[in-house]
Amino acid sequence: MTHTPSDQQVGNAVTFGLLAAWALHDVEELATVPGWQRRNVPVLRERFPGVPEAVWRRLGSVDAREFAVAVGMMGAIVAAASAAGRATGGRSGYYQTALNAFGLHGLVHLAQAAAVRGYTPGSATSPVLVVPFALWARARLRRAGVLRPTRPRDLVLGLGLAGAATVASHAAARRLPAGRSAT
């Protein structure tokens, strides 16, 4: 029996693989962001004097707790996108936009590393995990006949989604009260 592209199933590796790839990538960020920021914000502030001081203050004020909470919130967003992808056989616009956003955000990490001429959090897993996974998953969706055509506005939407989700996650994490220790 021969299979046509529409007969092919989009499985968990493609849909929930987004969540798994995101989680592995964010382990790198969780492990490196706090120390990297402490060491590099002063150096970057001098190297890029045109960046508004408010940006440097905000970047320098993100503590490990806030960052971890924001990562958890972003995880919920990615999990919802993965579940939507699985429920629709990969057809979900939300899932496909999140997949595009994930791949594009990997390119942003690489651009950041190029701009600072060195390591930035997320830049180690971007070329070996983030970008390859996004390309592989898109190829699987294409073979299954469910990948939506990607227009330039879709790329802008993907980057916008990634940026908005990041800002919203950090804003919410900043507003949550710090955890209280057990007495």
Side-chain angles (χ1 to χ4, degrees):
M1 174 165 128
T2 62
H3 293 282
T4 64
S6 61
D7 293 332
Q8 294 180 10
Q9 292 283 334
V10 173
N12 290 337
V14 175
T15 56
F16 285 118
L18 172 61
L19 179 59
W22 172 86
L24 290 170
H25 171 68
D26 271 46
V27 165
E28 175 195 358
E29 291 183 339
L30 283 168
T32 60
V33 163
W36 187 91
Q37 280 180 223
R38 272 191 311 280
R39 289 185 307 276
N40 290 282
V41 166
V43 173
L44 294 175
R45 181 182 268 139
E46 286 181 25
R47 188 184 296 170
F48 300 105
V51 174
E53 185 59 29
V55 171
W56 297 122
R57 278 195 309 272
R58 175 68 184 111
L59 185 59
S61 73
V62 176
D63 63 16
R65 181 207 65 86
E66 177 187 330
F67 188 74
V69 170
V71 165
M73 290 180 170
M74 185 67 80
I77 293 167
V78 176
S82 293
R86 183 64 185 130
T88 62
R91 288 173 176 80
S92 164
Y94 177 40
Y95 164 74
Q96 289 192 21
T97 299
L99 178 63
N100 289 339
F102 182 62
L104 290 168
H105 115 275
L107 296 177
V108 169
H109 278 302
L110 296 175
Q112 289 169 334
V116 303
R117 292 180 240 130
Y119 175 80
T120 58
S123 64
T125 53
S126 287
V128 296
L129 175 65
V130 175
V131 174
F133 174 81
L135 293 173
W136 173 82
R138 286 178 49 81
R140 293 289 304 265
L141 294 171
R142 186 177 301 107
R143 277 197 302 273
V146 300
L147 182 65
R148 296 169 184 224
T150 304
R151 300 166 303 234
R153 75 179 189 148
D154 298 320
L155 300 176
V156 171
L157 179 63
L159 280 174
L161 174 68
T166 300
V167 168
S169 295
H170 278 277
R174 182 158 279 221
R175 285 174 178 71
L176 288 176
R180 299 179 201 269
S181 59
T183 55

